[in-house]
Amino acid sequence: MPIRPTPRSASSPATGLELPTYTRSLAEGTNPRALLHTEWLLTSGLGGFSMGTALGAPTRRYHGLLVTAAPGSARRMMTLSAVAEQVVVNAPGQADRIFDLSTFLFAGDDPRGVLHPGGCAHLLRFEKEAGVCCRWVYRLEGTGLDVVRTVAPHHGARAVSIGYTLASTRPGARVRLLLRPLVAMRDFHHLRRHPSGAHEFRITPGAMRGAQAVTTVGSGGLSLDVGVSAGTFGADGLWWNNLFYPLELERGQDHVEDLYSPGLFTCDLREGKPVTVQASVDGTALVHAEDAAAARRERTRSIVGKTLARIATAGKRSARADDAAVAALVCAGDDFVVAVPDPAAGSGTKEVGGGGGGGAVSIIAGYPWFADWGRDTMISLPGLLLVTGRHEEAFGALVRFARARRRGIIPNRFDDATGEPHYNTADASLWFIHAACAYMGASGDREGFVRDLLPACLDVVEHYRRGTDYSIAMDPDDYLITAGTPATQLTWMDAHRDGVTFTPRHGKPVEINALWITGLAGLAGAMGSVEQMRAADLRSLSEAAGRSFRKYFWLDEHGCCADLLAPPGGTGDSWTPVAQVRPNQLFAVSLPNSPLSPAQQRSVVRVVRERLLTPRAVRTLDPADPAYRGRYRGTLFERDGTYHNGTAWPWLMGPLAEAMMRAEGFSPASRAQARALLRPLIEFLDGTCPGQLPEVFDGDDTPEAPQSPGGCPAQAWSVAEVLRVWVMVVAAGGKA
């Protein structure tokens, strides 16, 4: 896989650092539709993003050049969807030749969609420079000219630059660009159709510093400035109808859209004088695409370089290939770290990462459709922010969720339209305790921990002990946590649609109680000399719950743990172990302070590897179970039914690899096995979404039908857990 090595100077970690670059080429005779299956993603650090396919044609409603929220808003909008691009070449003594650069899919006779116009015929190569930009190289046959197109969102701003460079010249030829912006101006979850009557768009002259021609498109209270660095603009207000999104069709969703074009930019393209089109909703001054890319490159190099330097300083350096893997994972992880509106500071945000800091920080769970989720943030935080030394941002994220807690529960998620918190979770608060203790251990910031995080952690414990919302409470008979009802979905296996809870796990889930036990012990250890009597109480409670865990969860005849203790069905009935083989028992081994004996830990690892492991992910259910479904396909309802009943999740490879090492005392053999387990995922960074790891894979994997990725093409905890445990693997056996 073309993940480049990452040389660096001893004096300056970022000097000479080469970031990973992923390439796709269209060799002669290759079907261009193959590039429709490669997606690219670039993010803004504010929750916005640019996304599309290597071919350039959008295949889902979330593909566009500028998806962003307006300042002070949580609601992300699809603003600039695309730019339709033509190159006109006028050579002395010849008629004008017109070359399309763009390709779209339109609904038509071909059920796969009709490719038009024919820009894909001129495409030579697609490149993604991780964390920086994407480039397309076009060859205009018979002219001696190449055109390079660059897309670079601005980090920390709500703007994107699209640049055009003449890479070769023909003496005497005049080259013009005809650039037609296509806008949607809609909620990014929705689609726009051409209205039968008057439409809501308005076109007015705009102002953008550095731009030669600017137009403003307004709709629904949002204004988009689109400007060009050199050229003219002619307004015409045209509609492009029936764009076809096949990935939406596969999901059983509406899949045809109409886009609005305010007019046409006409620009001369000369050697050494690139042209940039920029779109912005926040008044960003025009920045040439390569300059925007350079700023992003320097920032990303800094983050990667500091991470590699931290590993080297700790004496944990390994092979150059390990550095390359870490660099690729750090670049991927940075996409999810975002600045968010801070309620304590009004609607403002502060830039995060790479030397920025402070303000409210969160972690996007996955692109394109998720916002920030409490569970995902707390699971991802150690890998994305602690391993990389971004302690200030980690603290900001923890404080943000701590301040938003209600009756001991941190938010399950913040609404992606309103920003309001939702609280339906039993495990996010326990993952919060785990992440807060990990922050204390990694940063040494005892003052911040005691002042801002410890009170929140103790509040969680007290509410769970005496009982809180969603029937979450400690059972006074065995000190284990019970949660939920048949109608709720409070664990990470939370699929619920159209009134159906697909994986009901109310009662005493195994991972909730593993988190409870390790959280109590970890919190007691992190408290140090603060409230020693209370720390002793927490330690004693952890030990008592651990004894109950071994007594009630362990299934000797199966050699593993029950997934759940189901509540009594009637008066006098006891809690019933549910003997489904699921991966949730891994956390009773992978987390510190395991309640299981060493022999039991090794047995859990063996059972999970034998019955749930696939090449790149861990299944959510044993294939021998009657409820197992091995292919993640169909409508949203069908996919939700499969989501946790066989679908395999790459994020679980981190806990499995860690469990393997912990069960064997971090022996050299166990580290080698963990490395082999994670390697296929690192290689998949050059997969269907270059530089990213997906949310899920099929549970089934056969030579005839290998497992395919699904869900979000880019998922935070998939990257975070691989990064966290990969560093643990190469850390010469140092325990976490």
Side-chain angles (χ1 to χ4, degrees), residues 29 43 61 157 195 202 211 262 291 321-322 384 426 493 518 540 544 570 607 638 691:
T43 62
R61 67 183 65 201
R202 63 185 185 279
D291 292 334
D322 289 335
L384 301 188
M493 291 187 165
T518 197
S540 176
V607 168
E638 292 168 329

Side-chain angles (χ1 to χ4, degrees), residues 366-612:
Y367 292 99
W369 50 73
F370 286 130
D372 49 336
W373 288 57
R375 175 190 304 115
D376 298 62
T377 295
M378 299 309 144
I379 291 172
S380 300
L381 186 147
L384 301 188
L385 298 178
L386 299 184
V387 165
T388 55
R390 301 169 70 169
H391 297 153
E392 186 178 359
E393 292 157 286
F395 183 75
L398 290 165
V399 168
R400 176 178 188 246
F401 277 91
R403 288 175 177 169
R405 72 188 186 279
R406 185 189 72 185
R407 290 177 48 80
I409 301 175
I410 71 162
N412 183 40
R413 66 184 179 91
F414 289 97
D415 194 281
D416 61 4
T418 66
E420 292 298 312
H422 299 250
Y423 291 94
N424 55 310
T425 173
D427 55 349
S429 297
L430 300 176
W431 279 113
F432 168 80
I433 293 175
H434 180 69
C437 292
Y439 167 78
M440 170 63 204
S443 69
D445 177 19
R446 175 162 295 279
E447 179 182 355
F449 175 80
V450 171
R451 182 188 64 240
D452 293 311
L453 302 182
L454 179 58
C457 292
L458 294 174
D459 182 60
V460 170
V461 170
E462 291 309 309
H463 274 92
Y464 274 52
R465 287 181 82 163
R466 66 175 182 257
T468 186
D469 299 337
Y470 305 106
S471 302
I472 299 170
M474 185 184 76
D475 186 333
D477 293 332
D478 57 19
Y479 312 105
L480 298 175
I481 297 296
T482 180
T485 69
T488 57
Q489 70 286 1
L490 303 182
T491 73
W492 81 277
M493 291 187 165
D494 59 355
H496 181 91
R497 187 174 293 275
D498 298 338
V500 178
T501 301
F502 293 99
T503 315
R505 300 180 69 235
H506 59 287
K508 298 175 182 177
V510 64
E511 80 280 12
I512 298 295
N513 283 284
L515 281 162
W516 173 243
I517 292 163
T518 197
L520 293 169
L523 192 55
M527 290 173 70
S529 60
V530 178
E531 298 189 61
Q532 293 186 35
M533 291 185 63
R534 195 165 192 180
D537 173 59
L538 296 178
R539 193 173 291 109
S540 176
L541 182 58
S542 174
E543 292 168 355
R547 289 191 292 270
S548 295
F549 189 99
R550 288 188 295 276
K551 179 178 180 180
Y552 296 117
F553 277 101
W554 184 253
L555 303 175
D556 199 53
E557 66 276 23
H558 297 284
C560 64
C561 293
D563 184 62
L564 177 77
L565 301 182
T571 303
D573 288 352
S574 60
W575 291 84
T576 304
V578 175
Q580 284 185 313
V581 178
R582 292 186 180 273
N584 304 300
Q585 60 187 301
L586 277 174
F587 298 104
V589 184
S590 66
L591 292 169
N593 309 298
S594 171
L596 300 176
S597 71
Q600 289 172 332
Q601 293 177 42
R602 290 191 291 271
S603 187
V604 166
V605 170
R606 177 184 57 79
V607 168
V608 170
R609 292 184 71 178
E610 289 177 355
R611 302 171 73 172
L612 301 180

Side-chain angles (χ1 to χ4, degrees), residues 84-88 98 176-180 264-267:
E85 304 141 333
Q86 288 184 322
V87 179
V88 181
I98 300 176
R176 285 176 295 149
L177 287 172
L178 306 180
L179 305 173
R180 178 174 292 280
L264 186 71
F265 290 104
T266 303
C267 318

